[in-house]
Amino acid sequence: VQWLAERVARSSPTGIRLGKIALSAMRDMTVDQALEYAQVMLQVMTSTPDAIEGFRSFQQKRSPSWHAAAAD
């Protein structure tokens, strides 16, 4: 459990927040509705400044510097 908590703590605050919102919203959807919603949310998530920073830092082989504050 500790390794998971450490991994989440290093993740994008925006990604964590949007992921929690998406999982909560999909809880009461059918599988087809959830897949459609996830497809839309993926487009939203990949257009955030944190996603762009994540892709860029991966390409540059460095640790990401997240733009969003943890309280977002």
Side-chain angles (χ1 to χ4, degrees):
V1 174
Q2 182 66 30
W3 68 268
L4 181 58
E6 290 171 0
R7 186 171 178 181
V8 170
R10 291 189 306 266
S11 298
S12 159
T14 301
I16 297 296
R17 181 174 42 84
L18 290 174
K20 287 171 62 176
I21 290 169
L23 287 173
S24 178
M26 291 188 295
R27 183 176 300 144
D28 297 323
M29 294 181 186
T30 66
V31 172
D32 288 338
Q33 290 171 329
L35 289 172
E36 187 175 330
Y37 181 80
Q39 190 174 27
V40 170
M41 286 302 293
L42 184 59
Q43 292 174 356
V44 171
M45 288 179 171
T46 58
S47 66
T48 66
D50 275 0
I52 295 166
E53 168 60 14
F55 295 135
R56 190 172 291 139
S57 67
F58 178 79
Q59 290 176 328
Q60 296 173 355
K61 298 180 181 176
R62 61 173 175 79
S63 295
S65 176
W66 305 124
H67 295 88
D72 280 356

